[in-house]
Amino acid sequence: QVQLVESGGGSVKSGGSLRLSCAASGFTYSSYCLGWFRQAPGKEREGVAVIDSDGSTAYADSAKDRFTISQDNAKNTLYLQMNSLKPEDTAMYYCAAEDYPRWGVNMYLRLADFGYWGQGTQVTVSS
């Protein structure tokens, strides 16, 4: 079965950068969709960025121009490079995977209908 493990979270000051990683195991499908989502205390989970096996990407407006989602197929790892971090980026970040995508990246960013989820990694941005 697919297992996802996030890492790379931590505490940084406003304007700093972090790169989150999501190591996947048991995920060998040629067609897939991968994503990063976050949830802050008292708020609903929101999509941050999504990428599929074709390389198509989708970003939340708040992440566009600051975050970059990428993957290393050889390492079975998903990344989220976060630059120019703001306090409002503070949240628990989760990676997700779908091994049988039914829609494009924009739909997955909105619906978050992924079959597999990691346990999350905390990102805290201070002023």
Side-chain angles (χ1 to χ4, degrees), residues 90-120:
T90 295
M92 183 71 76
Y93 284 70
Y94 302 89
C95 67
E98 174 58 52
D99 55 13
Y100 188 65
R102 296 169 289 278
W103 307 286
V105 291
N106 290 308
M107 186 66 76
Y108 274 96
L109 183 68
R110 293 191 291 271
L111 297 181
D113 189 20
F114 291 84
Y116 307 95
W117 293 83
Q119 294 301 305

Side-chain angles (χ1 to χ4, degrees), residues 30-110:
S30 58
S31 180
Y32 55 82
C33 188
L34 307 169
W36 286 99
F37 295 79
R38 66 187 183 188
Q39 186 168 26
K43 297 183 178 180
E44 295 184 348
R45 180 181 61 191
E46 65 173 337
V48 177
V50 173
I51 187 170
D52 66 14
S53 49
D54 292 328
S56 297
T57 59
Y59 293 91
D61 289 339
S62 61
K64 185 173 61 178
D65 299 325
R66 295 191 300 127
F67 296 0
T68 302
I69 187 170
S70 63
Q71 59 187 321
D72 186 332
N73 292 336
K75 297 181 179 180
N76 265 4
T77 303
L78 175 71
Y79 301 100
L80 181 67
Q81 178 66 48
M82 304 186 293
N83 299 323
S84 301
L85 284 163
K86 306 173 182 179
E88 47 264 48
D89 293 318
T90 295
M92 183 71 76
Y93 284 70
Y94 302 89
C95 67
E98 174 58 52
D99 55 13
Y100 188 65
R102 296 169 289 278
W103 307 286
V105 291
N106 290 308
M107 186 66 76
Y108 274 96
L109 183 68
R110 293 191 291 271

Side-chain angles (χ1 to χ4, degrees), residues 8-13 17-18 122-126:
S11 298
V12 298
K13 293 183 177 180
S17 300
L18 282 174
Q122 180 68 42
V123 171
T124 301
V125 185
S126 62

